[in-house]
Amino acid sequence: MRFDIVSVFPEFFAVLDLSLIGKARERGILDIAVHDLRDWTDDPHRSVDDTPFGGGAGMVMRPDVWGAALDDTLGDDGVLAVPTPSGTPLTQRMCEDLAAAGHIVLACGRYEGIDARVADHYEESGVRVVRYSLGDYVLNGGEVAAVALVEAVGRLVPGLVGNPESLVEESHGAAGLLEYPVYTRPARWRGLDVPAVLTSGDHGKVARWRRDRALEVTAGRRPDMIEALPAEGLDRGDRRALAGLGYLVPAGAAHPLPASAREAAASDVPGLADLAARTFPDACPPGMREEDMRAFVESHLSREDFSRYVDDPGCLTMALAVGGRILGYALACLPPDGAVAGAERGAPVQAVVDGRPRSGPLVELSKFYLDRRLRGTGAAALLWEATRSRLEEWAAPWPEAYVWLGTNAANERAQRAYRRLGFRFQGQRTFRVGDQDNRDAVFARPIRMA
Ligand code: J9Q
């Protein structure tokens, strides 16, 4: 691999004699030539710049001097790489692509930049031109950015990095995630302990912990990278971790989507009613008649109904938005005097959970629905925790407040989900839809748990 670097500060590139890059040059793996741009001037002052046409501050680098330098260095195989703050942000992908070229010429500008015709001219003559930036901040010239490119591209040349495994495993590689945090001895330093899982000897747990931390760090610092993760590369553990970080992967989605559960607003009403109409039949027993279900939706789950729920201070309406669409909702009825909600619907007034009898109010969780595409994604825990947290605020005066719900006795999947959320079976009730009595299982749990 050959690099030609053209700059008015050739001494700057002494750093490329050091470390792995320096070793690779000694071993003949990298051939790096540094040139002084002034060697292509023909005036006694060796001037490389001039004032800008159109006026303005600073100086512009002359096209004639750059043309002479690049004609001599590009040859018939050079790719022209131009560091500039107006270039494309340099990525690992671009570096991998450049590593496939055998010869790169770096044109380091100073002052206000190089006359724009230079890069345009070489591009028009069929030279591959890559204008790149290191990020949205301003340097005094392209030299630092040139060193960065030589190191990032150079280390991809076979034989340069001693352990090729470290090329595969690292940031921005196959995983598409930032690195998990790393630790070494001592196990305790300034009162800070190394996470216990790393000294447990359980390799499976270590791998899971590292993957969870990588997802967490990436979600916090680079949410754009989370939203670019291909869904097919995410296992159950990844999906659970992502749900805890506010990202869900609905069935059929190509990537994780940002998810948030919040109190519903008037503008959510159409989305809530649409979702309610398509999810209500999911929770019904198999024998139920179409028209009874339709009538129930029309009389309890219309837009007008949701408008009332959203405005009613005795109702808590929660919406789960996933990628901006409402894919889940919960409706809780708050008893007016801190007593019992839904007594006429079979509320378990004597509810006991794990030996703790209810002594505060009994809230009814009358609706808790998710779009089918969210089954098994961790969405239920996300929606429930947001709902629970609102209920906890509401029930602050009553530390032993409970919440109850009824769900179809034949719906094992729903009952398993409620058990996972801390609800415990209390008994049965009958629930009428149309002219049919349905068996419901009744569950309850404290709003607050130890
Ligand atoms: C050449 N500011 O800044 C950020 N990435 C590249 C640059 C840059 C600059 C001036 C000249 C490159």
Side-chain angles (χ1 to χ4, degrees), residues 83-85 109 133-135 137-139 141-142 145:
T84 163
S133 158
L134 291 190
Y137 45 84
V138 179
L139 307 169

Side-chain angles (χ1 to χ4, degrees), residues 82-87 107-111 113 132-143 145:
V82 186
T84 163
S86 56
C108 302
R110 282 262 148 181
Y111 316 102
Y132 72 96
S133 158
L134 291 190
D136 292 337
Y137 45 84
V138 179
L139 307 169
N140 287 329
E143 284 76 11

